[in-house]
Amino acid sequence: MLMSEVTSMDSKQELINGLNQDLAREYQAVIAYTTYAAEVAGPHRPALRAFFLEEAADELKHAQLLADKISALGGVPVVEPQPVPQATGARAMLEAVLAAETETIARYARRMAQAEELGELALVAQLHEMIVDETQHKEEVAKLLDGFPE
Ligand SMILES: [Fe+2]
Ligand SMILES: [Fe+2]
């Protein structure tokens, strides 16, 4: 086997591992948004519940895309979510979500570079679209948090 083939197999495995961590975090996001939608209380409940439910649906789509790609690459999609951070109160929920979305965008930017290196161009395009979605989530949460009571 050529050295370059070994390197490429290593980086493919690294990509699969990274995508599986991303998948565990998408499942975390589905659970977090679903739970926050159920639990959020106070005068802002109607708007926040609707927002959380919409986000949950987006994150589930992301999870499906990632699981499909991991399987297509010859990997096995994880079935365990990353643990969901506890958040009590609407503001804490929004702050937890803002932190998660920010980290997810950074993770997908790294994953795009890995996919690009391996010539996985459809995955590059999908990650690009997911970065667009997560950035919209992040910007909406930032707007909701702006001036939100403590
Ligand atoms: Fe997502
Ligand atoms: Fe998101």
Side-chain angles (χ1 to χ4, degrees):
M1 196 180 285
L2 291 171
M3 198 57 207
S4 60
E5 284 173 25
V6 175
T7 312
S8 148
M9 273 174 62
D10 282 355
S11 34
K12 188 178 167 190
Q13 192 53 54
E14 253 175 60
L15 175 63
I16 292 169
N17 294 346
L19 289 170
N20 255 327
Q21 290 166 13
D22 299 335
L23 178 57
R25 294 183 59 89
E26 288 291 352
Y27 285 139
Q28 173 198 53
V30 171
I31 295 169
Y33 280 126
T34 304
T35 306
Y36 296 166
E39 298 224 292
V40 69
H44 302 290
R45 175 173 168 87
L48 291 178
R49 177 178 166 81
F51 173 71
F52 290 150
L53 290 177
E54 216 176 284
E55 306 300 273
D58 278 357
E59 311 301 15
L60 185 57
K61 277 186 220 145
H62 296 162
Q64 186 67 66
L65 279 172
L66 291 172
D68 286 348
K69 184 52 79 176
I70 290 161
S71 184
L73 288 169
V76 179
V78 292
V79 293
E80 297 286 337
Q82 187 83 9
V84 177
Q86 286 297 311
T88 311
R91 192 182 174 86
M93 288 173 188
L94 289 170
E95 280 169 351
V97 160
L98 184 64
E101 296 289 357
T102 303
E103 199 192 319
T104 301
I105 293 165
R107 293 181 67 87
Y108 287 160
R110 288 202 298 276
R111 209 68 63 227
M112 255 178 91
Q114 281 177 290
E116 185 118 49
E117 199 152 302
L118 285 165
E120 291 288 341
L121 297 184
L123 178 56
V124 172
Q126 284 171 332
L127 287 162
H128 195 270
E129 258 179 57
M130 292 202 289
I131 288 174
V132 172
D133 287 348
E134 309 297 18
T135 303
Q136 280 168 351
H137 298 169
K138 182 187 166 181
E139 289 172 353
E140 278 305 297
V141 176
K143 287 282 187 207
L144 281 167
L145 261 173
D146 191 12
F148 201 90
E150 290 298 329

